[in-house]
């Protein structure tokens, strides 16, 4: 018997688990598999609707009584660096950029471990071993790149970003950096450099993942001008960050069936 992939993606919901961003909340995700010949089309379409990629899965928060997580992206044409961001560029002017195919290396993993052990020792990825790290980097059915930043003189690896190339922008899937260089603002620098890469490639957006009001972990994203957030099924220019709430309410999230029905899927019919 020959098995084929379904033409229409099948959506599922994860079991509730503790939220990594807000205390005393439970998170739940709506997700679908990213595979087959239409993987790029599906990734492009769902990224524009607030989904994110993790290996061969696309997901979006679908918590039962909370809608705090907002997908965020920078509109490149509207971005203007502020004073602190210009300082971050100057501090890291000694770093060179190298973009490669998504292939994991020992040097990347060693940097990744140092980053987790110091910055996120209690996070969900804290126990990730070298094989799981390799899967995170290499298991991608779409056009992805590993962008490394190294000291031009010593060739020491300072920062890494796993980045997807979309039709309308760059999506920073996951990034990490040398924790001993925290004062260099490497996280900010990588976003600034991705804005420059997108500008050079004539791509309008840089996707940053989720911004969560009242979550200190996500506060840095709101400091970028030209920021848009996905609210109520559309992208909106971000207002004052303090105007957004993370209040919990039983009517915050639409029923799963309604969410799935409202997802706009790419036309995958043969011409």
């Amino acid at each position: 018997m020959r098995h084929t992939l379904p033409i229409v993606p099948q959506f599922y919901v994860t079991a509730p688990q503790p939220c990594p961003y807000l205390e005393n909340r439970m998170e739940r995700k709506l997700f679908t598999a990213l595979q087959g010949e239409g993987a790029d089309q599906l990734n492009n379409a769902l990224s524009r609707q607030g989904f994110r990629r993790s290996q061969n899965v696309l997901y979006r928060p679908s918590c039962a009584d909370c809608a705090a997580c907002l997908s965020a992206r920078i509109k490149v044409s509207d971005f203007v660096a502020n004073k602190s961001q210009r300082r971050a560029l100057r501090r890291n002017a000694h770093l060179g950029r190298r973009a490669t195919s998504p292939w994991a290396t020992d040097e990347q993993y060693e940097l990744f471990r140092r980053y987790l052990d110091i910055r996120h020792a209690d996070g969900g990825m804290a126990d990730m071993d070298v094989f799981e790290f390799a899967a995170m980097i290499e298991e991608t059915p779409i056009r992805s790149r590993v962008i490394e930043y190294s000291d031009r003189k010593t060739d020491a690896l300072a920062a890494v970003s796993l980045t997807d190339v979309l039709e309308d922008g760059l999506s920073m899937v996951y990034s990490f950096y040398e924790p001993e260089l925290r004062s260099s603002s490497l996280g900010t620098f990588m976003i600034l450099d991705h804005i420059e890469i997108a500008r050079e490639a004539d791509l309008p957006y840089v996707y940053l993942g989720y911004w969560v009001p009242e979550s200190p972990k996500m506060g840095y994203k709101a400091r970028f001008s030209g920021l848009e957030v996905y609210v109520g099924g559309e992208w909106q220019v971000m207002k004052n960050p303090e105007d957004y709430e993370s209040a919990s309410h039983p009517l915050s999230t639409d029923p799963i069936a309604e969410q799935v029905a409202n997802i706009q899927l790419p036309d995958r019919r043969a011409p």
Side-chain angles (χ1 to χ4, degrees):
M1 180 180 295
R2 183 177 180 181
H3 296 277
T4 59
L5 296 174
I7 295 177
V8 178
Q10 305 298 300
F11 289 86
Y12 307 91
V13 181
T14 62
Q17 58 185 356
C19 175
Y21 304 118
L22 299 172
E23 293 184 2
N24 304 316
R25 303 282 180 95
M26 299 297 288
E27 74 164 358
R28 188 180 65 173
K29 295 184 178 74
L30 178 68
F31 71 95
T32 188
L34 183 63
Q35 56 190 343
E37 296 179 358
D40 270 310
Q41 291 175 290
L42 185 63
N43 188 48
N44 283 311
L46 267 59
S47 293
R48 289 192 289 267
Q49 297 171 73
F51 280 76
R52 294 284 289 168
R53 183 182 73 84
S54 177
Q55 295 173 232
N56 59 357
V57 169
L58 288 170
Y59 69 90
R60 187 172 71 183
S62 180
C63 305
D65 60 354
C66 177
C69 293
L70 302 177
S71 189
R73 69 185 186 186
I74 297 169
K75 187 174 182 180
V76 173
S77 61
D78 290 349
F79 172 76
V80 178
N82 60 30
K83 188 175 181 180
S84 65
Q85 290 162 352
R86 291 194 296 271
R87 282 199 302 267
L89 287 172
R90 290 194 296 269
R91 287 193 198 105
N92 296 286
H94 64 289
L95 297 180
R97 176 211 305 155
R98 185 169 73 103
T100 69
S101 298
W103 186 257
T105 66
D106 291 339
E107 188 179 21
Q108 291 170 9
Y109 180 67
E110 291 168 3
L111 177 61
F112 174 73
R113 283 281 13 134
R114 292 196 299 275
Y115 174 77
L116 288 185
D117 291 344
I118 293 179
R119 298 276 294 162
H120 300 286
D122 58 349
M125 303 173 74
D127 297 327
M128 185 178 287
D129 62 27
V130 65
F131 302 106
E132 293 167 322
F133 173 77
M136 179 182 75
I137 297 293
E138 298 172 9
E139 289 186 9
T140 170
I142 62 167
R143 187 183 178 196
S144 303
R145 294 290 183 270
V146 171
I147 302 179
E148 298 181 337
Y149 298 91
S150 301
D151 190 299
R152 289 191 178 93
K153 291 184 178 179
T154 66
D155 203 35
L157 185 63
V160 177
S161 176
L162 174 61
T163 302
D164 288 346
V165 183
L166 308 177
E167 286 179 340
D168 65 348
L170 302 175
S171 177
M172 300 181 71
V173 177
Y174 191 78
S175 57
F176 52 95
Y177 53 85
E178 177 56 66
E180 298 297 336
L181 300 175
R182 184 175 181 180
S183 61
S184 297
S185 303
L186 283 166
T188 295
F189 168 72
M190 281 191 284
I191 295 175
L192 294 171
D193 192 62
H194 275 68
I195 293 172
E196 184 58 30
I197 296 171
R199 183 177 285 120
E200 292 170 357
D202 199 26
L203 294 171
Y205 301 107
V206 173
Y207 289 80
L208 301 181
Y210 295 106
W211 174 70
V212 185
E214 301 176 28
S215 172
K217 294 180 181 179
M218 295 295 173
Y220 69 93
K221 297 181 182 180
R223 302 187 190 113
F224 287 84
S225 62
L227 198 69
E228 298 180 348
V229 288
Y230 192 73
V231 181
E234 63 180 6
W235 290 96
Q236 303 175 1
V237 175
M238 185 180 220
K239 301 174 291 187
N240 185 334
E242 296 180 359
D243 292 340
Y244 295 85
E245 298 181 355
S246 61
S248 178
H249 191 279
L251 300 181
S252 294
T253 307
D254 293 332
I256 296 299
E258 186 174 336
Q259 291 182 52
V260 174
N262 289 330
I263 292 173
Q264 300 298 311
L265 297 174
D267 188 349
R268 298 169 69 175
R269 295 172 297 180

